[in-house]
Amino acid sequence: MSSYQPVEAVVRAFKVLETVSKMGECSVQDIHHEIGESKATIVRMLETLESVGYIGRVPNTSRYGLTGRVLFLKAGFRVNDLLGSRVEPILAALQAKIGWPSDFAIYDGDDMIVVVINPAGGRFFSQGTPGRRIPVLGTSLGLAYLAYATETEQQRALAMSAGRAEHWNDIARAPKEAAALFARIRERGYATAHPAYGATFYDGSIPTLAVPVLLDGRPVGAINVKFARAVLSMEAAVDSLIAPMRESADLVAQVLRDLDL
């Protein structure tokens, strides 16, 4: 028997989170019908969960869905290992098709966390091991994810990055420029790394392209491709790489759906 009374607000929040997880996308009315809490309470719980990054509003609707951050609730079950074992073959097949290595990363509230590094890339392309954190506003992976996130999640990410000194975080202090950048990424369907980040790593010789992994229209991660500027121009890379990258992103999304993460 517990030695204390449960914190009712926490209990309600988990009920709401479980309901959104079970239903996939749902409205306040849907949740009210499912768990019987008052709509005012449900709205408070949704806004709280949204503020910490676990739930996001589905664009242009009054419905809510989970974000990629919920993957970390399963950290004790080695979710990264499980994801890695399923996603690695997809990235290996992509590398075999296009000849360049790639990574898969998910968002963790202030940074991206790289879950899979395609081992076929070799040391020349490597920046470390799975589990490393990379900046959301500096990398193509982070920008591809954030461009498709809800406005609330975007604003929270900008606020988290605004106090950081690196040049790629300058845009966090210019919200109109950030909004315009996200719109351009959505329009073209892919992101590139911030020039300052590219110059810091690989001396600018290894550009990257990234596309979001979308599940029911919501970003749950992103995949990139790294290539050598001396071998392939950015224009040629976009023409030849984006279509197979999107196909692979769709396969990764299906893995996440099948795993029910």
Side-chain angles (χ1 to χ4, degrees), residues 81-127:
D81 291 346
L82 178 60
L83 274 175
S85 68
R86 301 294 182 87
V87 173
E88 278 180 4
I90 296 173
L91 296 192
L94 175 62
Q95 193 274 340
K97 183 174 185 177
I98 65 177
W100 301 105
S102 55
D103 302 326
F104 167 62
I106 56 180
Y107 184 54
D108 186 32
D110 54 353
D111 290 316
M112 300 295 288
I113 291 186
V114 179
V115 176
V116 178
I117 295 175
N118 188 336
R123 294 182 61 187
F124 180 62
F125 290 95
S126 178
Q127 286 186 30

Coordinates of all heavy atoms in Angstrom, one line a residue, residues 81-127:
D81 N 17.7 1.0 -29.1 CA 18.2 -0.3 -29.6 C 17.2 -0.9 -30.5 O 17.5 -1.4 -31.6 CB 18.6 -1.2 -28.5 CG 19.9 -0.8 -27.8 OD1 20.5 0.2 -28.3 OD2 20.1 -1.3 -26.7
L82 N 15.9 -0.9 -30.1 CA 14.9 -1.5 -30.9 C 14.7 -0.7 -32.2 O 14.6 -1.3 -33.3 CB 13.6 -1.5 -30.1 CG 12.3 -2.0 -30.8 CD1 12.5 -3.4 -31.2 CD2 11.1 -1.8 -29.8
L83 N 14.7 0.6 -32.1 CA 14.5 1.4 -33.3 C 15.7 1.2 -34.2 O 15.6 1.0 -35.4 CB 14.5 2.9 -32.9 CG 13.1 3.5 -32.6 CD1 13.3 4.9 -32.1 CD2 12.2 3.4 -33.8
G84 N 16.9 1.2 -33.6 CA 18.1 1.0 -34.5 C 18.1 -0.3 -35.2 O 18.4 -0.3 -36.4
S85 N 17.7 -1.4 -34.6 CA 17.6 -2.7 -35.3 C 16.7 -2.7 -36.5 O 16.9 -3.4 -37.4 CB 17.3 -3.8 -34.3 OG 15.9 -3.7 -33.9
R86 N 15.6 -1.9 -36.4 CA 14.6 -1.8 -37.5 C 14.9 -0.8 -38.5 O 14.6 -1.0 -39.7 CB 13.2 -1.5 -36.9 CG 12.7 -2.5 -35.8 CD 12.5 -3.9 -36.4 NE 12.0 -4.8 -35.4 CZ 10.7 -4.9 -35.1 NH1 9.8 -4.2 -35.8 NH2 10.3 -5.8 -34.2
V87 N 15.6 0.3 -38.1 CA 15.8 1.4 -39.1 C 17.2 1.2 -39.8 O 17.3 1.6 -41.0 CB 15.9 2.7 -38.3 CG1 16.3 3.9 -39.2 CG2 14.5 3.0 -37.8
E88 N 18.1 0.5 -39.2 CA 19.4 0.3 -39.8 C 19.3 -0.3 -41.2 O 20.0 0.1 -42.2 CB 20.4 -0.5 -38.9 CG 21.1 0.4 -37.9 CD 22.0 -0.5 -37.0 OE1 22.1 -1.7 -37.3 OE2 22.5 0.1 -36.0
P89 N 18.5 -1.4 -41.4 CA 18.4 -2.0 -42.7 C 17.8 -1.0 -43.7 O 18.2 -1.1 -44.9 CB 17.5 -3.2 -42.5 CG 17.6 -3.5 -41.0 CD 17.8 -2.2 -40.4
I90 N 16.9 -0.1 -43.3 CA 16.4 0.9 -44.2 C 17.5 1.8 -44.7 O 17.6 2.1 -45.9 CB 15.2 1.6 -43.6 CG1 14.1 0.7 -43.2 CG2 14.7 2.7 -44.5 CD1 13.0 1.3 -42.4
L91 N 18.3 2.3 -43.8 CA 19.3 3.2 -44.2 C 20.4 2.5 -45.0 O 21.0 3.1 -45.9 CB 19.9 3.9 -42.9 CG 19.0 4.8 -42.1 CD1 19.8 5.6 -41.1 CD2 18.2 5.7 -43.0
A92 N 20.7 1.2 -44.7 CA 21.7 0.5 -45.4 C 21.2 0.3 -46.9 O 22.0 0.4 -47.8 CB 21.9 -0.9 -44.8
A93 N 19.9 0.1 -47.0 CA 19.3 -0.1 -48.4 C 19.4 1.2 -49.1 O 19.7 1.3 -50.3 CB 17.9 -0.6 -48.3
L94 N 19.1 2.3 -48.4 CA 19.2 3.7 -49.0 C 20.7 3.9 -49.5 O 20.9 4.4 -50.6 CB 18.8 4.7 -48.0 CG 18.9 6.2 -48.5 CD1 18.1 6.5 -49.7 CD2 18.6 7.1 -47.4
Q95 N 21.6 3.6 -48.6 CA 23.0 3.8 -49.0 C 23.4 3.0 -50.2 O 24.2 3.4 -51.1 CB 23.9 3.5 -47.8 CG 25.4 4.0 -47.9 CD 26.3 3.0 -48.7 OE1 25.9 1.8 -48.7 NE2 27.4 3.4 -49.2
A96 N 22.9 1.8 -50.2 CA 23.3 0.9 -51.4 C 22.7 1.5 -52.7 O 23.3 1.3 -53.8 CB 22.7 -0.5 -51.1
K97 N 21.6 2.2 -52.6 CA 20.9 2.7 -53.7 C 21.5 4.0 -54.2 O 21.7 4.2 -55.4 CB 19.4 3.0 -53.4 CG 18.6 3.5 -54.6 CD 17.1 3.6 -54.2 CE 16.3 4.0 -55.4 NZ 14.8 4.0 -55.0
I98 N 21.9 4.9 -53.3 CA 22.4 6.2 -53.7 C 23.9 6.4 -53.5 O 24.5 7.3 -54.1 CB 21.7 7.3 -52.9 CG1 22.1 7.2 -51.4 CG2 20.2 7.2 -53.1 CD1 21.5 8.3 -50.5
G99 N 24.6 5.5 -52.8 CA 26.0 5.6 -52.6 C 26.5 6.5 -51.5 O 27.7 6.7 -51.4
W100 N 25.6 7.0 -50.7 CA 26.0 7.9 -49.6 C 25.4 7.5 -48.3 O 24.3 7.0 -48.3 CB 25.6 9.4 -49.9 CG 26.2 9.9 -51.2 CD1 25.5 10.1 -52.4 CD2 27.5 10.3 -51.4 NE1 26.4 10.6 -53.3 CE2 27.6 10.8 -52.8 CE3 28.7 10.4 -50.6 CZ2 28.8 11.2 -53.3 CZ3 29.9 10.9 -51.2 CH2 29.9 11.3 -52.5
P101 N 26.1 7.8 -47.2 CA 25.6 7.4 -45.9 C 24.5 8.3 -45.3 O 24.4 9.4 -45.8 CB 26.8 7.4 -45.0 CG 27.7 8.5 -45.6 CD 27.4 8.4 -47.1
S102 N 23.8 7.8 -44.3 CA 22.7 8.6 -43.7 C 22.6 8.4 -42.2 O 23.1 7.4 -41.7 CB 21.4 8.4 -44.4 OG 21.1 7.0 -44.4
D103 N 21.8 9.2 -41.5 CA 21.5 9.1 -40.1 C 20.0 9.2 -39.9 O 19.3 9.8 -40.7 CB 22.2 10.2 -39.3 CG 23.7 10.2 -39.4 OD1 24.3 9.1 -39.6 OD2 24.3 11.3 -39.3
F104 N 19.6 8.7 -38.8 CA 18.2 8.9 -38.3 C 18.2 9.5 -36.9 O 18.9 9.0 -36.1 CB 17.4 7.6 -38.3 CG 16.1 7.6 -37.6 CD1 15.1 8.5 -38.0 CD2 15.9 6.8 -36.5 CE1 13.9 8.5 -37.4 CE2 14.7 6.9 -35.8 CZ 13.7 7.7 -36.2
A105 N 17.5 10.6 -36.7 CA 17.5 11.2 -35.4 C 16.0 11.6 -35.0 O 15.2 11.7 -35.8 CB 18.3 12.5 -35.5
I106 N 15.9 11.7 -33.7 CA 14.6 12.1 -33.1 C 14.8 13.3 -32.2 O 15.9 13.6 -31.8 CB 13.9 11.0 -32.4 CG1 14.8 10.4 -31.3 CG2 13.4 9.9 -33.3 CD1 14.1 9.3 -30.4
Y107 N 13.7 14.1 -32.0 CA 13.8 15.3 -31.2 C 13.6 15.0 -29.7 O 12.8 14.2 -29.3 CB 12.7 16.3 -31.7 CG 12.7 17.6 -31.1 CD1 13.9 18.4 -31.1 CD2 11.6 18.2 -30.5 CE1 13.9 19.7 -30.5 CE2 11.6 19.4 -29.9 CZ 12.7 20.2 -29.9 OH 12.7 21.4 -29.4
D108 N 14.4 15.8 -28.9 CA 14.4 15.6 -27.4 C 14.1 16.9 -26.7 O 14.7 17.1 -25.6 CB 15.7 14.9 -26.9 CG 15.6 14.6 -25.5 OD1 14.5 14.2 -25.0 OD2 16.7 14.6 -24.8
G109 N 13.3 17.7 -27.3 CA 12.9 18.9 -26.5 C 13.8 20.1 -26.7 O 13.3 21.2 -26.7
D110 N 15.1 19.9 -26.8 CA 16.0 21.0 -27.1 C 17.1 20.7 -28.1 O 17.6 21.6 -28.7 CB 16.7 21.5 -25.8 CG 17.4 20.4 -25.0 OD1 17.2 19.2 -25.4 OD2 18.1 20.6 -24.0
D111 N 17.4 19.4 -28.3 CA 18.3 18.9 -29.3 C 17.7 17.8 -30.0 O 16.7 17.2 -29.6 CB 19.6 18.5 -28.6 CG 20.5 19.6 -28.0 OD1 20.6 20.7 -28.7 OD2 21.0 19.5 -26.9
M112 N 18.4 17.4 -31.1 CA 18.1 16.1 -31.8 C 19.1 15.1 -31.2 O 20.2 15.3 -30.8 CB 18.4 16.2 -33.3 CG 17.5 17.2 -34.0 SD 15.8 16.9 -34.0 CE 15.6 15.5 -35.1
I113 N 18.6 13.8 -31.1 CA 19.4 12.7 -30.7 C 19.5 11.7 -31.8 O 18.5 11.3 -32.4 CB 18.8 12.0 -29.4 CG1 18.9 12.9 -28.2 CG2 19.6 10.7 -29.2 CD1 18.5 12.3 -26.9
V114 N 20.7 11.4 -32.2 CA 21.0 10.5 -33.3 C 20.8 9.1 -32.8 O 21.4 8.6 -31.9 CB 22.4 10.7 -33.9 CG1 22.6 9.7 -35.1 CG2 22.5 12.1 -34.4
V115 N 19.8 8.4 -33.5 CA 19.5 7.0 -33.1 C 20.3 6.0 -33.9 O 20.7 5.0 -33.4 CB 18.0 6.8 -33.2 CG1 17.6 5.3 -32.9 CG2 17.2 7.7 -32.3
V116 N 20.4 6.3 -35.2 CA 21.1 5.4 -36.1 C 22.1 6.1 -36.9 O 21.8 7.2 -37.5 CB 20.1 4.7 -37.1 CG1 20.8 3.7 -38.0 CG2 19.1 3.9 -36.3
I117 N 23.3 5.6 -37.0 CA 24.3 6.1 -37.9 C 24.6 5.0 -38.9 O 25.0 3.9 -38.5 CB 25.6 6.5 -37.1 CG1 25.4 7.7 -36.2 CG2 26.7 6.8 -38.1 CD1 26.5 8.1 -35.4
N118 N 24.5 5.3 -40.1 CA 24.7 4.2 -41.1 C 26.2 3.8 -41.1 O 27.0 4.6 -41.5 CB 24.3 4.7 -42.5 CG 24.3 3.7 -43.6 OD1 25.0 2.7 -43.4 ND2 23.6 3.8 -44.6
P119 N 26.5 2.6 -40.7 CA 27.9 2.2 -40.6 C 28.6 2.2 -41.9 O 29.9 2.2 -42.0 CB 27.8 0.8 -40.0 CG 26.5 0.3 -40.3 CD 25.6 1.5 -40.3
A120 N 27.9 2.1 -43.0 CA 28.5 2.1 -44.3 C 29.2 3.4 -44.7 O 29.9 3.5 -45.7 CB 27.5 1.8 -45.4
G121 N 28.9 4.5 -43.9 CA 29.5 5.7 -44.2 C 31.0 5.8 -44.0 O 31.8 6.6 -44.6
G122 N 31.5 4.9 -43.0 CA 33.0 5.0 -42.8 C 33.4 6.1 -41.9 O 32.6 7.0 -41.6
R123 N 34.6 6.2 -41.5 CA 35.1 7.2 -40.6 C 35.1 8.6 -41.2 O 35.0 9.6 -40.5 CB 36.6 6.8 -40.2 CG 36.7 5.6 -39.3 CD 38.1 5.3 -38.9 NE 38.6 6.4 -38.1 CZ 39.8 6.5 -37.7 NH1 40.7 5.6 -38.0 NH2 40.2 7.5 -36.9
F124 N 35.3 8.7 -42.5 CA 35.3 10.0 -43.2 C 34.1 10.8 -42.9 O 34.1 12.0 -42.8 CB 35.5 9.8 -44.7 CG 35.6 11.1 -45.5 CD1 36.6 12.0 -45.2 CD2 34.7 11.4 -46.5 CE1 36.7 13.2 -45.9 CE2 34.8 12.6 -47.2 CZ 35.8 13.4 -46.9
F125 N 32.9 10.1 -42.8 CA 31.6 10.8 -42.6 C 31.2 10.8 -41.2 O 30.1 11.4 -40.9 CB 30.5 10.1 -43.5 CG 30.7 10.3 -45.0 CD1 31.4 9.4 -45.8 CD2 30.2 11.5 -45.6 CE1 31.5 9.6 -47.1 CE2 30.4 11.7 -46.9 CZ 31.0 10.7 -47.7
S126 N 31.8 10.1 -40.3 CA 31.3 9.9 -39.0 C 31.6 11.1 -38.0 O 32.6 11.7 -38.1 CB 31.9 8.6 -38.3 OG 31.5 8.5 -37.0
Q127 N 30.6 11.4 -37.2 CA 30.8 12.4 -36.1 C 30.6 11.8 -34.7 O 30.5 12.5 -33.8 CB 29.7 13.5 -36.2 CG 29.9 14.4 -37.4 CD 28.9 15.6 -37.3 OE1 28.4 15.9 -36.3 NE2 28.5 16.1 -38.5

